[in-house]
Amino acid sequence: MTPPVRVLVADDHPIVRDGLRAALGPGSGVELAGEAADGEQAVRLAAELRPDVVLMDLRMPGLDGVAAIRRIAGTGPRVLVLTTYDTDVLPALEAGAHGYLLKDAPAGELVRAVLAVHRGETVIAPAVAGRLAEQVRKPSRGALSRRELEVLRLVAGGATNKEAAAALFISEASVKTHLLHVYAKLDVRDRAAAVSEGYRRGLLTA
C-alpha cells in the first residue's frame, strides 16, 4: 500500500489551518505532517519534519511566503502555494513553487493538486493561468541599477527624498529621477508600493 503524502501546512490563520486539517484527513491519500503559522516556522519545520509537500500561504507576518519558498526550494519538499490572491503567481514560481492554487478551491481539487505536485507535476489553478500568461508576456523592465537600489533601500528605511540625497551625496532632483525609474521597473506608482514590491521580489530584506 502506498504511504500517504505528508504535508506541512503554512498559514497564519488558525481557521484556515482547521479547514485544511479536515480536508487532508484519512482516506485522502494525504496526511498532515505539521502546521506553521508564519514563514520562519515553515522553513524550520520543513527542515525538521521533512514533509513531501509544503502547502504555503503567501501573505504571512515576518518572513512572507515567497521568501520562505526561496529558502525551502531545493531542500527536499515540493511547495504548493495556497493563497487568496492571484497576483503573486510569477514571483512564487520563480522562487521555486511547484503549484499555485486559490483558497476557494474545493477540497478534492486541493488533494489532487497535492498528489500531482508530489508526483513532480506543476499545478496552476485555471483562475490564475491567465494572470500568469499576462505577467510572462510583459516586456522586461530591467533590473534596478546599483544607485536605484540604494535609493529604494533608503526609502524603505523611512528616508525622505532630501535625506536620501544627503546620504548618497546627490541632488534631491536626482533622487526623484531614480525613484521614477524604480517605479517604472517595478511597475508601481508610489513609494509604498515600490517598497512592498521590493520586499516581494527579494530586493529588500527585513
Side-chain angles (χ1 to χ4, degrees):
M1 184 175 178
T2 304
V5 175
R6 300 174 63 252
V7 177
L8 169 64
V9 170
D11 196 293
D12 60 322
H13 293 100
I15 192 169
V16 173
R17 297 199 303 273
D18 289 345
L20 292 174
R21 195 181 304 120
L24 305 178
S28 65
V30 176
E31 72 175 13
L32 189 65
E35 299 179 22
D38 56 50
E40 287 286 359
Q41 190 178 24
V43 172
R44 179 172 57 80
L45 290 180
E48 291 178 3
L49 301 176
R50 309 300 295 172
D52 299 307
V53 175
V54 178
L55 201 54
M56 180 77 72
D57 189 17
L58 294 183
R59 309 290 177 91
M60 293 186 290
L63 189 73
D64 67 18
V66 171
I69 292 168
R70 195 174 289 115
R71 288 170 56 178
I72 292 172
T75 66
R78 298 177 69 82
V79 180
L80 173 60
V81 170
L82 183 66
T83 183
T84 304
Y85 307 94
D86 66 352
T87 55
D88 301 317
V89 191
L90 195 55
L93 295 178
E94 288 175 340
H98 299 90
Y100 198 106
L101 287 185
L102 298 181
K103 287 184 177 177
D104 60 0
E109 181 180 339
L110 172 61
V111 170
R112 287 192 294 273
V114 168
L115 296 175
V117 164
H118 177 56
R119 290 194 301 268
E121 301 173 22
T122 298
V123 179
I124 305 294
V128 301
R131 169 77 68 172
L132 176 60
E134 178 185 329
Q135 291 179 340
V136 170
R137 284 195 298 266
K138 278 186 178 179
S140 173
R141 298 181 181 273
L144 298 191
S145 69
R146 178 181 60 81
R147 181 65 85 189
E148 289 162 358
L149 190 53
E150 289 173 341
V151 170
L152 180 60
R153 285 171 176 161
L154 287 168
V155 168
T160 63
N161 288 356
K162 184 176 181 180
E163 290 168 340
L168 298 174
F169 302 101
I170 58 178
S171 69
E172 195 171 343
S174 293
V175 170
K176 291 179 180 178
T177 299
H178 288 310
L179 277 175
L180 289 176
H181 291 164
V182 169
Y183 297 165
K185 289 180 178 181
L186 299 185
D187 197 20
V188 297
R189 297 183 179 181
D190 56 43
R191 298 163 74 92
V195 170
S196 176
E197 184 69 7
Y199 279 114
R200 190 173 68 82
R201 296 191 185 194
L203 301 174
L204 301 171
T205 56

